[in-house]
């Protein structure tokens, strides 16, 4: 007897003349098709879109930075002349720089009576501070007005990702124009390293920060009031990492197969139950009539 490979067919076909179409079966079949189409489109949307996964770990993510952090500062002092405005930088590694001028610009405001300071500089990855003051001026003013408006204070590379709602410019928009003109301002910053990794595996390094502030009047050893705007910072050991991911193709295919197979299986069970109940009811009615 010749070998017949058809004996391995587990999907045996039933002749059409042995099947019976019903209105209920047609309705359930059409409903199944729409249901499968809806679930397929939902899964396809999720497959095309990317998800953002975040995690926390203890490490320095940007080891190639040489222990430096880039800082971008933009601040307006509407009642202090540009000749008096300066930036000083200090930290625990012994750095003490008065009147930092590299990559900085002063723009006169209010017909020269005020100043807008824009600067980009680096700080070491150790606790320290940088402050805007009149310390670098050749002659100290009698009553410097340190009321100000902070437009931007950001650390590291700028991340333009809509899904990330982080505190990368937490002090942006800070308005201290109605404060005491002779008061000093302390902004205490906790800097949190942040890493963003896109689908290609490219990483970008930035920093978020939290801020607390206080306002006070400070006197020098001579009894004079010399106000300043202090930004005191410290680094958090915790790094936040955002990773962009997309659902694998095999998972998408598996889900679609489960949707199609599961829907038709459940629909077949429902149709079978309805058909069996309908046939039983017909037999009961025939029995009553006889």
């Amino acid at each position: 007897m010749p070998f017949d490979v058809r004996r391995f067919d587990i999907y045996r076909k039933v002749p059409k003349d042995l099947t019976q179409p019903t209105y209920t079966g047609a309705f359930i079949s059409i409903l199944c098709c729409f249901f499968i189409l809806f679930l397929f489109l939902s899964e396809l949307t999720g497959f095309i879109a990317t998800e953002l996964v975040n995690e926390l770990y203890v490490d320095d993510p940007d080891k190639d930075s040489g222990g430096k952090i880039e800082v971008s500062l933009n601040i307006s002092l509407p009642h202090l002349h540009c000749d008096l405005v300066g930036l000083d930088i200090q930290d625990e590694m012994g750095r003490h720089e008065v009147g930092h001028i590299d990559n900085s610009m002063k723009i006169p405001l209010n017909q020269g009576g005020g100043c807008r300071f824009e600067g980009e500089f680096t700080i070491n990855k150790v606790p320290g501070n940088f402050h805007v003051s009149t310390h670098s001026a050749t002659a100290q003013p009698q009553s410097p007005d340190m009321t100000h408006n902070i437009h931007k204070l950001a650390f590291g590379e700028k991340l333009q990702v809509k899904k990330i709602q982080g505190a990368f410019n937490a002090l942006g928009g800070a308005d201290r124009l109605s404060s005491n003109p002779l008061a000093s301002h302390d902004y205490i910053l906790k800097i949190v390293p942040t890493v963003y990794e896109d689908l290609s595996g490219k990483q970008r390094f930035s920093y978020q920060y939290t801020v607390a502030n206080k306002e006070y009047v400070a006197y020098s050893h001579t009894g004079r009031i010399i106000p300043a705007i202090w930004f005191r910072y410290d680094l958090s050991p915790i790094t936040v990492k955002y990773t962009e991911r997309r659902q694998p193709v095999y998972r998408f295919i598996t889900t679609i197969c489960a949707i199609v197979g599961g829907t038709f299986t459940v629909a077949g069970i429902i149709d079978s139950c309805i058909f069996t109940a309908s046939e039983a009811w017909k037999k009961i009615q025939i029995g009553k009539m006889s």
Side-chain angles (χ1 to χ4, degrees), residues 114-128:
C115 186
R116 178 167 178 158
F117 178 87
E118 299 179 10
E120 294 183 355
F121 53 96
T122 60
I123 57 175
N124 295 316
K125 290 183 178 180
V126 295

Side-chain angles (χ1 to χ4, degrees), residues 112-183:
C115 186
R116 178 167 178 158
F117 178 87
E118 299 179 10
E120 294 183 355
F121 53 96
T122 60
I123 57 175
N124 295 316
K125 290 183 178 180
V126 295
N129 74 80
F130 52 92
H131 52 277
V132 178
S133 66
T134 61
H135 298 165
S136 60
T138 54
Q140 293 296 318
Q142 291 297 321
S143 55
D145 189 334
M146 299 305 290
T147 55
H148 60 278
N149 189 7
I150 301 175
H151 308 288
K152 178 184 178 182
L153 176 61
F155 300 87
E157 186 178 350
K158 184 178 181 181
L159 294 181
Q160 293 180 328
V161 182
K162 293 181 179 180
K163 294 182 180 179
I164 299 179
Q165 303 294 331
F168 296 97
N169 185 23
L171 276 174
D175 188 340
R176 300 293 182 269
L177 298 178
S178 60
S179 62
N180 182 356
L182 296 177

Side-chain angles (χ1 to χ4, degrees), residues 56-246:
L56 304 176
Y57 61 92
V58 179
D59 194 11
D60 180 8
D62 192 9
K63 295 182 174 64
D64 298 328
S65 64
K68 303 286 186 182
I69 300 176
E70 296 181 355
V71 184
S72 179
L73 176 64
N74 189 331
I75 184 171
S76 292
L77 297 95
H79 306 295
L80 194 64
H81 197 276
C82 282
D83 291 340
L84 302 174
V85 176
L87 177 70
D88 309 329
I89 306 172
Q90 296 175 290
D91 63 35
E92 292 187 359
M93 291 183 67
R95 181 182 182 184
H96 189 182
E97 187 175 347
V98 179
H100 179 87
I101 58 174
D102 294 338
N103 298 321
S104 63
M105 179 172 55
K106 299 177 184 179
I107 304 171
L109 301 175
N110 301 333
Q111 289 80 41
C115 186
R116 178 167 178 158
F117 178 87
E118 299 179 10
E120 294 183 355
F121 53 96
T122 60
I123 57 175
N124 295 316
K125 290 183 178 180
V126 295
N129 74 80
F130 52 92
H131 52 277
V132 178
S133 66
T134 61
H135 298 165
S136 60
T138 54
Q140 293 296 318
Q142 291 297 321
S143 55
D145 189 334
M146 299 305 290
T147 55
H148 60 278
N149 189 7
I150 301 175
H151 308 288
K152 178 184 178 182
L153 176 61
F155 300 87
E157 186 178 350
K158 184 178 181 181
L159 294 181
Q160 293 180 328
V161 182
K162 293 181 179 180
K163 294 182 180 179
I164 299 179
Q165 303 294 331
F168 296 97
N169 185 23
L171 276 174
D175 188 340
R176 300 293 182 269
L177 298 178
S178 60
S179 62
N180 182 356
L182 296 177
S184 290
H185 299 265
D186 257 14
Y187 296 101
I188 303 168
L189 315 176
K190 193 71 172 181
I191 302 175
V192 182
T194 304
V195 184
Y196 176 77
E197 183 176 320
D198 59 21
L199 287 173
S200 64
K202 181 183 177 181
Q203 292 186 340
R204 286 184 284 170
F205 303 96
S206 187
Y207 296 85
Q208 304 181 62
Y209 63 93
T210 59
V211 59
N213 69 285
K214 62 180 179 179
E215 179 182 327
Y216 59 95
V217 177
Y219 294 88
S220 68
H221 62 280
T222 60
R224 291 184 58 186
I225 300 177
I226 305 180
I229 304 169
W230 298 82
F231 301 93
R232 307 182 192 272
Y233 61 87
D234 192 7
L235 271 77
S236 169
I238 304 296
T239 295
V240 179
K241 183 178 182 181
Y242 298 97
T243 306
E244 203 173 38
R245 293 179 184 172
R246 180 169 287 163

